[in-house]
Amino acid sequence: MALPITDYTAFFAGAKQAVQELEQLRERELCLEESEKTLEDQLRTREKAVADTIARTVKARGEEIARSYDAEIGKTEDQLKKVKAKREKARNQGVKGRIAEDTQSLSKENEELKGRIRTLFRANHVPGYCAGGLYYSLYFTRGLKEMGILLLALLIFFLAVPCGIYFAVPERKTWYLILIYLADILIFGGVYVKIGNSTKMKHMDALREGRSIRNRIQANKKQMKAIARTIRRDKNDAVYNLEKFDDEIAQLDQDLLQTNKKKKEALAAFDTVTKTILSDEIMESNKPEIDRLQGELAKAVEELKAVRTELKEKTLYTAENFEAYTGKEFMTMERLEALEGFIRAGEARNISEAVTVFKSRDRQGTPQ
């Protein structure tokens, strides 16, 4: 319960002292708040820097381990590719040799048959061009290949040539095309008929026998292709003596498997053990600074807590013992001195009257 004031000098002295103490406590609170924020920022920055250093270091060391193993894996893979290439080359050589060996008799027979054609044609004075594949395709057509050659020749001489000539003429007219086709038929058709008549009429028996021999040669070639196809499809490589390559490939595959296994083990060990050691080492080297900042921050927090407690108590004390009489708006050094001056000068008998005088003069603009 508030008591009447009997000693205004003591009252105003106490009030002014309370105001000063409150201002000091507020300044101290503000200073400690700034100090707390600064220390928190410094600590957070330091902890982030340590965390970033740990992350970078761990990542770099892990990548170094992986690169070291990858380099060895790459070397082994390169060796493996080279050995496989050598094996494939050796197999291809073996396949070629096997094909040559298995088709040797047919190849030899074909050479003999070709010789028979040359001997036959020389003995019968048949022109040399009649022994070629083009002649037999045009005049003794047999099989899809020769039919294709005949069709291609017809397209060239009776379509491509006349159309080419027609489109090369500056002024194109329909009767030009008719004349070109007639000339083309007469020229190429005439040459075709002339060659056929001159050779068939004189050497029909020899040409037919040549046809028969060529049929035999083609049959042998077809058989040789079938033999080669069968050999290439054969998956049994035992006949090619590739064991040394297979052994080396198996060894390299095993080395590759072991290196990959060691890489996984090394990375797993790094993640479970080494990474922790690296983190602890970095944390340990930064621990004194972090401990210092944490200690200073804890001290600042504790001091701020004590100041706020004292400020709260002082604020409540001031409100109860001084503001209750003067009002909160008069709890400043200047206004308290003005109120005290009114009472000393006899212009007011108590604080309430002093407040009234102050407000009256404040409205009139009179200096206090």
Side-chain angles (χ1 to χ4, degrees), residues 51-100:
D52 290 344
T53 301
I54 291 173
R56 285 195 305 270
T57 304
V58 168
K59 182 181 179 182
R61 300 291 171 78
E63 288 176 348
E64 287 172 2
I65 293 173
R67 279 197 298 270
S68 297
Y69 277 96
D70 287 342
E72 295 303 317
I73 291 170
K75 291 177 183 178
T76 305
E77 288 176 341
D78 289 340
Q79 287 180 302
L80 190 59
K81 288 178 182 178
K82 290 178 181 178
V83 175
K84 286 182 176 180
K86 289 180 181 179
R87 184 190 185 281
E88 187 63 22
K89 184 177 179 181
R91 185 184 186 282
N92 290 337
Q93 291 293 333
V95 169
K96 289 179 181 178
R98 186 178 168 191
I99 290 173

Side-chain angles (χ1 to χ4, degrees), residues 8-26 310-311 313-315 317-319 321-323 326 330-337 340:
Y8 288 104
T9 302
F11 174 84
F12 283 109
K16 286 187 281 187
Q17 181 179 354
V19 168
Q20 288 179 339
E21 290 176 353
L22 284 173
E23 288 179 354
Q24 291 173 354
L25 286 171
R26 291 190 183 103
E310 186 178 354
L311 179 61
E313 292 174 353
K314 181 61 69 176
T315 300
Y317 173 81
T318 301
N321 292 278
F322 301 106
E323 289 180 8
T326 65
F330 285 93
M331 287 303 294
T332 65
M333 294 295 293
E334 294 79 2
R335 292 191 173 189
L336 287 172
E337 287 178 354
E340 185 179 10

Side-chain angles (χ1 to χ4, degrees), residues 68-240:
S68 297
Y69 277 96
D70 287 342
E72 295 303 317
I73 291 170
K75 291 177 183 178
T76 305
E77 288 176 341
D78 289 340
Q79 287 180 302
L80 190 59
K81 288 178 182 178
K82 290 178 181 178
V83 175
K84 286 182 176 180
K86 289 180 181 179
R87 184 190 185 281
E88 187 63 22
K89 184 177 179 181
R91 185 184 186 282
N92 290 337
Q93 291 293 333
V95 169
K96 289 179 181 178
R98 186 178 168 191
I99 290 173
E101 182 180 354
D102 289 1
T103 59
Q104 183 177 8
S105 59
L106 294 172
S107 181
K108 184 177 181 181
E109 183 181 352
N110 277 355
E111 291 300 321
E112 292 175 354
L113 291 172
K114 290 176 183 179
R116 280 177 57 185
I117 291 178
R118 289 193 295 269
T119 302
L120 173 65
F121 280 19
R122 279 198 299 269
N124 290 276
H125 305 289
V126 180
Y129 62 81
C130 294
L134 179 60
Y135 177 85
Y136 275 98
S137 295
L138 296 177
Y139 294 98
F140 292 89
T141 309
R142 182 179 182 275
L144 291 176
K145 181 180 179 181
E146 292 184 355
M147 289 177 65
I149 293 173
L150 176 60
L151 179 60
L152 180 61
L154 292 174
L155 290 174
I156 291 173
F157 291 114
F158 297 106
L159 181 61
V161 171
C163 288
I165 295 172
Y166 175 72
F167 285 109
V169 175
E171 186 179 357
R172 302 186 189 101
K173 295 182 179 181
T174 305
W175 62 274
Y176 284 177
L177 182 60
I178 295 171
L179 288 177
I180 292 170
Y181 259 103
L182 289 174
D184 182 80
I185 292 170
L186 288 174
I187 294 171
F188 291 110
V191 171
Y192 178 80
V193 172
K194 180 174 174 48
I195 292 173
N197 290 338
S198 64
T199 54
K200 288 183 178 181
M201 290 179 66
K202 295 180 180 179
H203 311 291
M204 179 58 77
D205 292 338
L207 291 171
R208 283 179 176 172
E209 187 175 351
R211 171 78 273 179
S212 178
I213 295 172
R214 285 184 64 83
N215 291 344
R216 181 66 182 275
I217 291 173
Q218 290 175 355
N220 287 344
K221 286 182 178 179
K222 185 176 181 181
Q223 187 176 355
M224 289 167 67
K225 288 181 180 179
I227 292 171
R229 187 163 52 250
T230 301
I231 291 173
R232 290 192 182 95
R233 290 177 178 175
D234 187 5
K235 301 300 181 182
N236 183 14
D237 294 343
V239 297
Y240 303 126

